Amino acid sequence: MIAYLTRRYLFSASHRLHSAEMSPEENLATYGKCNNPHGHGHNYALEVTVSGPVNDRTGMICNLVDLDQCVEREVLSRYHLENLNTLQAFAQLVPTTEILSVKIFEILQRGFHPAHLERVRLEETMMNSFEYTGANAPRK
């Protein structure tokens, strides 16, 4: 029996959407107010979904403590209260929430092994959320 677990985490970070490969006019046209030279912040809600067989002895897919510790150590401590533009991971990338979702998925895929990582969903605002299921996930 395979089951799915989704856990929610909160963190805050700032960014400026700006590409060095585009002119100031192109950046403004592409990113609008998110191209503000001073940046802007978000209170992100991260959902991490894992799956696996339900362990007969524990009745769980994985221990929540293990998942929480991994997310805290590998994701929240890395991004909470940070300006994403200043981080090495975004040195050559525009730190959009789409890209941040991919980065978080890759980090967790490398670091969490007690269950299968299905997806990450990152809510940027009440109106915007982004999901990433991995590069090899079938497209629907």
Side-chain angles (χ1 to χ4, degrees), residues 44-93:
Y44 293 100
L46 169 65
E47 292 180 0
V48 176
T49 301
V50 297
S51 68
V54 176
N55 182 293
D56 290 335
R57 191 168 64 81
T58 66
M60 301 186 299
I61 299 167
C62 66
N63 191 321
L64 289 178
V65 172
D66 294 337
L67 181 58
D68 289 349
Q69 287 176 344
C70 180
V71 171
E72 173 62 39
R73 180 182 65 250
E74 301 295 334
V75 177
L76 303 182
S77 67
R78 185 179 309 221
Y79 296 128
H80 183 56
L81 301 179
E82 293 291 336
N83 175 341
L84 300 177
N85 298 82
T86 66
L87 302 179
Q88 183 60 37
F90 297 100
Q92 303 299 316
L93 300 169

Side-chain angles (χ1 to χ4, degrees), residues 8-137:
R8 190 172 175 91
Y9 305 91
L10 304 175
F11 70 98
S12 300
S14 66
H15 62 175
R16 177 188 186 206
L17 302 186
H18 183 85
S19 172
E21 297 182 18
M22 294 192 300
S23 70
E25 295 77 23
E26 288 175 300
N27 273 293
L28 187 57
T30 302
Y31 301 118
K33 66 182 180 178
C34 296
N35 184 243
N36 177 344
H38 304 289
H40 62 283
H42 294 286
N43 294 314
Y44 293 100
L46 169 65
E47 292 180 0
V48 176
T49 301
V50 297
S51 68
V54 176
N55 182 293
D56 290 335
R57 191 168 64 81
T58 66
M60 301 186 299
I61 299 167
C62 66
N63 191 321
L64 289 178
V65 172
D66 294 337
L67 181 58
D68 289 349
Q69 287 176 344
C70 180
V71 171
E72 173 62 39
R73 180 182 65 250
E74 301 295 334
V75 177
L76 303 182
S77 67
R78 185 179 309 221
Y79 296 128
H80 183 56
L81 301 179
E82 293 291 336
N83 175 341
L84 300 177
N85 298 82
T86 66
L87 302 179
Q88 183 60 37
F90 297 100
Q92 303 299 316
L93 300 169
V94 178
T96 64
T97 304
E98 292 95 320
I99 298 295
L100 181 57
S101 298
V102 171
K103 292 290 185 192
I104 291 171
F105 186 94
E106 291 171 347
I107 289 166
L108 293 176
Q109 191 170 48
R110 285 190 307 268
F112 188 73
H113 303 290
H116 176 73
L117 179 61
E118 291 287 337
R119 73 175 176 101
V120 298
R121 178 179 176 275
L122 196 53
E123 188 175 292
E124 179 183 61
T125 70
M126 193 170 143
M127 304 297 285
N128 296 340
S129 65
F130 304 88
E131 282 188 29
Y132 186 68
T133 58
N136 297 323

